[in-house]
Amino acid sequence: MLTNSPPVLTNPSLNFLETVKQATPGDSRLTMCIQCGTCGGSCPSGQDMDHTPRQLFAMIRADMRDEVLRSNTPWYCVSCYFCMVRCPQEVHITDIMYTLKSMAIAADMYETNSAADLSQNFVGYVENYGRSFEFGLATRQYLRHQPLSLMRRASMGLGMLSKKRIDLTPTRIDNLGQLQAILARAKELEAPT
Amino acid sequence: MTHYLFYPGCSMQRSARPYLDSLMTIGPDMDMTFEDVQDWNCCGATEYAAVHRIPSYALVARNLALAAQQMNGARTLTAGCSACYLNLAKTENYMRRNAELNLVVNEALAAGNLHYEPGSLQVRHLLDVMVNDVGLEAIRARVTRPLTNLRIAPYYGCMVVRPDLDDHFRSEEYPMSMDRLLKALGAEVIDFPLKTHCCGGHMTQISQPVAFEMIRRLVYGATQYKADLMVTLCPMCQLNLDAYQGEVNQHFKMNYHMPVLYFTQLMGLAFGHEPEALGIGKEFVSARDALARIGVDVPEETAVKRPLHRAKDDPSLPMPYMPEENQ
Ligand code: SF4
Ligand code: SF4
Ligand code: SF4
Ligand code: SF4
């Protein structure tokens, strides 16, 4: 490793709380949580989640790694940031949800889950074209997860097409090599979990 | 003439083309020019960070670095999509406030011979520059076709006003800037309590019942308030509320008809432009009846035929096939 590399390697003996904290870019303030419950009460997808964000943070503190990574909670987070702006401790809740998603994918611990697939398909498009391919994304997503709704989907798809609102000619960025080099280096610099 | 750098984002290239077209039409009216960030890449929306953490910041930082190189005196980088805007604004803010993240991200950028100095750019949403740089007075002075009698539910969604790390909108849950803008255009603006509730984002691709309920709540709310239409500032919000409204109706056996337009399209109408120049007519839920109230005639839609087979010399990448195409 180069001498000017920033310290990103984590200590494997860290507890789960420290691991999540270190894996979250920026300052997550996760350890500041006072278990007030404001986050769960503010969450639009709370009723579909296995655990409220508050419960999940208590579980992280209790070192319940596997239960946390298997929870559907992060996958139901729609990034609305209500919790984050209401949290009295300014915990970066939404960022922590992203961290947990990526840790669950890395540990191969998410339940068969269309949200994780969507994210991974999307990453594929970004890394191969530098642009996303909204409609192709939606089509692949539906073929894999909701074949029965395909016909209805298709009619919306055709509507998008006749209204010229889908992308028939996805573009590749000019300097894809540069983007790929940046992402490859960033992956090396990612703290292991 | 005020010059802005502009990050268009993937959706404005196609599904939200009317947003881009209307912006380009009204820009000159307000002496604004928008210059695309050259060779920009997708910001990763809300998906990239769910898979890779540090790379999700590096992905966005490449755009910041390119924009900074191209600055040409313009310090403000604008965006129209909520997710694009937040990703740019958040990466800029976090790199500025967190020395360690700044170091790591710049080390990744160095692999592409780029560097971004935090603080060199100010990231702002289009609505913010219209309301605060152009100003409501100047906007009002441009109005030639006031939107009188048009009842509008202003819908901000989430990510432009939250978390609002640099405090551009001053209210994370009940912002007023778009309300004031629409009033300046002469519209009757509803005090819409759901204005910053979430439309579900990518949830339509994950769980339809959850997504449809989130969309239904918003359309129902606007209907209850007798809105003629909803106005958005985000391609994803527009897509969810407009393109999925038919499926939401089927799912709940309802019959909502709530057109959803971009604030830039309403500005264009008020400035006297014709609907075609503003991309009006491409919505799923027709805005014809609503716009007739202000004397605007939206032409009937002309169906666009598409070729059955790809031409051999078609340089574009192949599309995933739709079932109908195989018949
Ligand atoms: S709102 Fe903040 S402090 Fe309260 S439980 Fe949630 S994360 Fe913890
Ligand atoms: S950001 Fe995620 S966890 Fe927080 S309130 Fe919104 S959906 Fe819930
Ligand atoms: S948020 Fe959406 S539109 Fe904006 S760049 Fe990302 S994928 Fe493209
Ligand atoms: S309202 Fe929906 S699309 Fe708009 S910002 Fe929120 S999640 Fe994204």
Side-chain angles (χ1 to χ4, degrees):
Chain A
M1 184 147 292
L2 300 169
T3 44
N4 64 350
S5 294
V8 290
L9 290 174
T10 47
N11 176 347
S13 67
L14 287 179
N15 62 24
F16 191 50
L17 177 64
E18 270 306 308
T19 310
V20 175
K21 196 172 167 248
Q22 292 203 3
T24 308
D27 182 7
S28 71
R29 298 179 59 87
L30 174 58
T31 50
M32 305 296 280
C33 172
I34 53 169
Q35 291 290 298
C36 71
T38 305
C39 45
S42 306
C43 183
S45 5
Q47 67 269 35
D48 297 299
M49 290 175 167
D50 291 339
H51 310 95
T52 63
R54 179 194 63 79
Q55 284 173 325
L56 208 64
F57 298 161
M59 289 157 65
I60 292 174
R61 221 173 249 174
D63 229 14
M64 296 164 69
R65 175 178 180 273
D66 293 5
E67 291 87 339
V68 170
L69 294 185
R70 288 217 168 84
S71 171
N72 77 0
T73 297
W75 300 106
Y76 272 88
C77 170
V78 288
S79 305
C80 74
Y81 291 87
F82 263 122
C83 53
M84 186 161 146
V85 300
R86 288 182 181 173
C87 171
Q89 292 293 85
E90 298 178 29
V91 176
H92 288 197
I93 302 168
T94 320
D95 293 347
I96 296 165
M97 293 297 173
Y98 282 123
T99 301
L100 294 174
K101 291 189 220 198
S102 67
M103 286 175 75
I105 290 176
D108 206 9
M109 284 181 73
Y110 59 96
E111 304 294 319
T112 321
N113 164 334
S114 54
D117 261 16
L118 172 67
S119 300
Q120 286 168 300
N121 279 343
F122 197 100
V123 166
Y125 281 117
V126 175
E127 292 182 349
N128 291 309
Y129 299 106
R131 297 278 165 87
S132 76
F133 190 19
E134 299 166 275
F135 195 68
L137 178 73
T139 313
R140 271 186 68 183
Q141 188 68 9
Y142 267 76
L143 280 168
R144 286 175 77 163
H145 292 285
Q146 274 119 330
L148 287 179
S149 58
L150 237 195
M151 291 320 285
R152 273 190 293 144
R153 167 63 17 156
S155 64
M156 184 187 103
L158 292 177
M160 293 292 274
L161 199 56
S162 71
K163 287 166 206 293
K164 290 197 172 163
R165 278 179 58 178
I166 60 168
D167 215 340
L168 286 171
T169 51
T171 35
R172 210 185 279 270
I173 63 169
D174 294 336
N175 210 342
L176 185 63
Q178 178 190 54
L179 175 64
Q180 288 174 338
I182 292 171
L183 294 176
R185 183 71 185 113
K187 284 177 191 175
E188 290 169 13
L189 294 166
E190 182 100 289
T193 55
Chain B
M1 194 62 88
T2 320
H3 183 64
Y4 295 95
L5 289 169
F6 178 56
Y7 178 82
C10 311
S11 51
M12 276 206 196
Q13 307 302 300
R14 198 57 72 148
S15 76
R17 188 70 201 207
Y19 195 4
L20 184 66
D21 290 345
S22 52
L23 174 70
M24 292 306 146
T25 301
I26 62 174
D29 295 340
M30 293 173 295
D31 284 334
M32 302 169 109
T33 51
F34 295 93
E35 176 188 330
D36 283 8
V37 175
Q38 263 147 48
D39 206 38
W40 59 271
N41 56 263
C42 173
C43 74
T46 51
E47 310 309 322
Y48 204 94
V51 183
H52 305 292
R53 300 176 301 274
I54 295 294
S56 74
Y57 287 88
L59 182 72
V60 179
R62 175 175 179 271
N63 293 320
L64 292 172
L66 293 176
Q69 267 180 4
Q70 201 181 315
M71 245 189 317
N72 265 341
R75 242 200 97 213
T76 304
L77 173 62
T78 56
C81 164
S82 299
C84 300
Y85 165 72
L86 176 58
N87 280 336
L88 290 165
K90 184 163 142 180
T91 302
E92 214 292 315
N93 181 287
Y94 281 17
M95 285 176 76
R96 193 168 3 110
R97 297 206 328 209
N98 191 295
E100 196 186 340
L101 183 67
N102 182 28
L103 208 62
V104 182
V105 170
N106 266 310
E107 181 161 351
L109 286 180
N113 287 320
L114 289 176
H115 179 84
Y116 177 68
E117 194 53 42
S120 359
L121 292 166
Q122 212 180 28
V123 179
R124 294 169 64 196
H125 188 268
L126 291 175
L127 175 66
D128 171 19
V129 297
M130 301 285 178
V131 172
N132 296 312
D133 290 5
V134 181
L136 295 181
E137 276 323 304
I139 290 175
R140 195 174 286 118
R142 290 257 158 244
V143 174
T144 56
R145 182 200 278 140
L147 308 183
T148 322
N149 293 329
L150 204 55
R151 270 177 77 82
I152 299 182
Y155 180 62
Y156 299 74
C158 320
M159 291 188 278
V160 172
V161 293
R162 279 190 304 277
D164 198 13
L165 298 163
D166 289 311
D167 211 15
H168 290 302
F169 288 86
R170 287 179 211 96
S171 171
E172 291 138 346
E173 303 200 20
Y174 220 75
M176 286 304 288
S177 34
M178 189 159 63
D179 294 53
R180 291 197 196 101
L181 171 72
L182 294 168
K183 272 182 197 150
L185 304 178
E188 195 184 326
V189 181
I190 292 159
D191 192 13
F192 189 46
L194 305 178
K195 61 167 91 165
T196 65
H197 282 220
C198 182
C199 73
H202 70 191
M203 196 48 82
T204 48
Q205 303 299 308
I206 293 165
S207 167
Q208 291 202 335
V210 178
F212 288 173
E213 173 54 19
M214 295 176 98
I215 297 169
R216 189 201 63 85
R217 266 184 267 185
L218 296 167
V219 176
Y220 169 74
T223 308
Q224 285 297 90
Y225 276 87
K226 300 198 163 38
D228 295 315
L229 48 88
M230 289 174 87
V231 171
T232 71
L233 42 63
C234 166
M236 183 83 177
C237 302
Q238 203 282 339
L239 186 77
N240 280 344
L241 294 170
D242 175 41
Y244 286 95
Q245 208 175 111
E247 289 182 66
V248 168
N249 275 333
Q250 276 186 15
H251 186 84
F252 293 103
K253 309 216 169 11
M254 293 305 292
N255 208 3
Y256 297 117
H257 183 96
M258 183 56 62
V260 189
L261 295 178
Y262 295 103
F263 74 99
T264 44
Q265 293 178 306
L266 275 290
M267 290 175 78
L269 287 174
F271 295 168
H273 295 287
E274 292 315 310
E276 294 89 335
L278 303 165
I280 295 177
K282 297 200 164 141
E283 338 43 79
F284 277 72
V285 180
S286 163
R288 270 181 72 88
D289 293 348
L291 297 182
R293 299 175 68 88
I294 51 166
V296 168
D297 187 21
V298 180
E300 289 289 359
E301 216 208 307
T302 42
V304 183
K305 282 234 171 73
R306 65 184 177 141
L308 270 175
H309 301 285
R310 274 168 63 79
K312 278 215 175 62
D313 55 354
D314 188 342
S316 68
L317 295 165
M319 264 289 282
Y321 279 112
M322 298 303 296
E324 274 80 353
E325 282 181 318
N326 301 333
Q327 286 166 12

